[in-house]
């Protein structure tokens, strides 16, 4: 039976292009490398995880599909299990943005040697984009994936120079307003709902922090609504 990926992993898989080798950091069950090898998109892959139990499950799935000679499994934290240039593409998906930043920062030579980084932070996406900008990477593609009410942000980067001129590029996605992704309006609406919760929580409070949060959220919502009008 062919490997079926959920919408999030399908979009991530679609970003792993023009490479022959990949490392999947935090592979969990190994679905992504199996699907890419199965479709002939890769010659080989390395499935990595910091936890032994999911890695054992990944090994079993890899063996069941007959790809144990093409997909190697490695136990360890982040990019520490890789050598520079060992994988053309490095995928780090399903983790918090702060953790993704820390993993890239811990092994800068490995990250810099990759032809492509495919990152899918679950939160703090702006932190990841700022890290890329200030550490010699440029975002070459962004995508969105929807599962139920949740929208996931996928960031593809490589070594290069990137200058972010608009603060919204950190928050919505690099040049998202130019590409006008079909899910962009829903993506913006989700961010507006989040900021409205902050307004509800801080409205009428007198502490300096609460007043600052209220004012910033008001301004951010206004800016997001302005972007929506241009879509």
């Amino acid at each position: 039976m062919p490997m079926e990926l959920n919408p999030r992993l399908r979009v991530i898989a679609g970003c792993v292009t023009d490479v022959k080798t990949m490392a999947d950091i935090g592979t969990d069950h190994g679905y992504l490398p199996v699907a890419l090898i199965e479709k002939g998109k890769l010659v080989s892959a390395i499935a990595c995880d910091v936890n032994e139990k999911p890695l054992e499950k990944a090994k079993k799935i890899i063996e069941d599909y007959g790809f144990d000679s093409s997909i190697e499994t490695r136990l360890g934290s982040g990019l520490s299990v890789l050598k520079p240039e060992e994988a053309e593409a490095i995928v780090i998906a399903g983790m918090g943005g702060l953790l993704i930043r820390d993993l890239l920062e811990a092994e800068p030579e490995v990250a810099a040697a990759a032809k492509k980084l495919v990152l899918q932070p679950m939160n703090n996406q702006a932190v990841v984009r700022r890290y890329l900008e200030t550490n010699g990477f440029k975002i070459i593609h962004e995508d969105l994936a929807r599962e139920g009410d949740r929208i996931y942000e996928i960031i593809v980067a490589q070594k290069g120079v990137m200058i972010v001129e608009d603060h919204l590029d950190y928050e919505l996605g690099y040049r998202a307003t130019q590409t006008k992704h079909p899910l962009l309006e829903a993506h913006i609406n989700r961010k507006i709902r989040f900021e409205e919760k902050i307004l509800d929580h801080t409205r009428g409070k007198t502490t300096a922090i609460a007043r600052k949060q209220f004012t910033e959220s008001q301004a951010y919502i206004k800016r997001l609504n302005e972007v929506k009008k241009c879509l």
Side-chain angles (χ1 to χ4, degrees):
M1 177 185 254
M3 173 63 70
E4 291 292 331
L5 298 178
N6 61 34
R8 178 180 69 92
L9 287 180
R10 278 203 302 271
V11 174
I12 293 170
C15 294
V16 183
T17 57
D18 303 319
V19 295
K20 294 181 179 179
T21 59
M22 178 202 73
D24 186 21
I25 306 300
T27 193
D28 195 24
H29 289 69
Y31 296 147
L32 183 64
V34 166
L36 288 167
I37 291 286
E38 184 179 43
K39 292 179 180 179
K41 302 295 184 181
L42 297 172
V43 173
S44 64
I46 305 169
C48 315
D49 208 286
V50 70
N51 296 310
E52 193 168 355
K53 285 187 178 179
L55 197 63
E56 287 299 323
K57 291 179 181 178
K59 284 181 183 179
K60 178 66 166 56
I61 290 170
I62 291 165
E63 290 171 1
D64 288 346
Y65 276 83
F67 295 144
D68 44 305
S69 62
S70 302
I71 304 175
E72 179 186 349
T73 58
R74 294 184 186 176
L75 180 66
S77 175
L79 279 61
S80 66
V81 297
L82 301 175
K83 297 176 183 177
E85 299 184 349
E86 196 171 13
E88 290 182 277
I90 296 175
V91 176
I92 312 178
M95 302 181 196
L98 296 177
L99 177 56
I100 289 177
R101 177 203 61 192
D102 291 347
L103 294 180
L104 294 173
E105 201 166 41
E107 302 291 340
E109 292 183 1
V110 175
K115 182 178 179 181
K116 181 181 292 188
L117 301 175
V118 181
L119 313 173
Q120 185 266 300
M122 300 294 283
N123 51 42
N124 289 303
Q125 292 85 358
V127 170
V128 175
R129 293 186 182 102
R130 285 191 181 95
Y131 175 83
L132 294 171
E133 180 191 22
T134 57
N135 287 273
F137 292 91
K138 64 178 179 180
I139 295 172
I140 58 172
H141 177 67
E142 293 225 20
D143 213 329
L144 298 170
R146 176 182 239 159
E147 289 183 18
D149 293 332
R150 181 143 198 180
I151 292 177
Y152 298 93
E153 302 174 48
I154 297 92
I155 303 166
V156 185
Q158 63 183 201
K159 287 299 292 181
V161 177
M162 174 179 71
I163 300 173
V164 176
E165 297 178 348
D166 189 335
H167 179 77
L168 278 183
D169 281 355
Y170 294 123
E171 302 292 340
L172 290 183
Y174 187 56
R175 296 180 177 172
T177 55
Q178 296 177 32
T179 56
K180 297 185 179 180
H181 192 283
L183 290 174
L184 182 56
E185 185 172 0
H187 182 43
I188 291 172
N189 286 337
R190 191 168 181 271
K191 288 186 176 293
I192 289 174
R193 288 194 296 271
F194 179 80
E195 295 301 321
E196 286 174 341
K197 289 180 181 178
I198 294 176
L199 290 183
D200 290 340
H201 182 69
T202 57
R203 184 176 283 108
K205 294 190 176 179
T206 57
T207 65
I209 293 176
R211 290 200 305 269
K212 183 174 183 289
Q213 286 180 329
F214 186 85
T215 301
E216 289 177 351
S217 289
Q218 268 190 326
Y220 189 30
I221 290 171
K222 182 180 178 181
R223 185 75 197 281
L224 290 173
N225 280 319
E226 289 171 353
V227 173
K228 278 176 61 177
K229 291 176 183 178
C230 299
L231 297 179

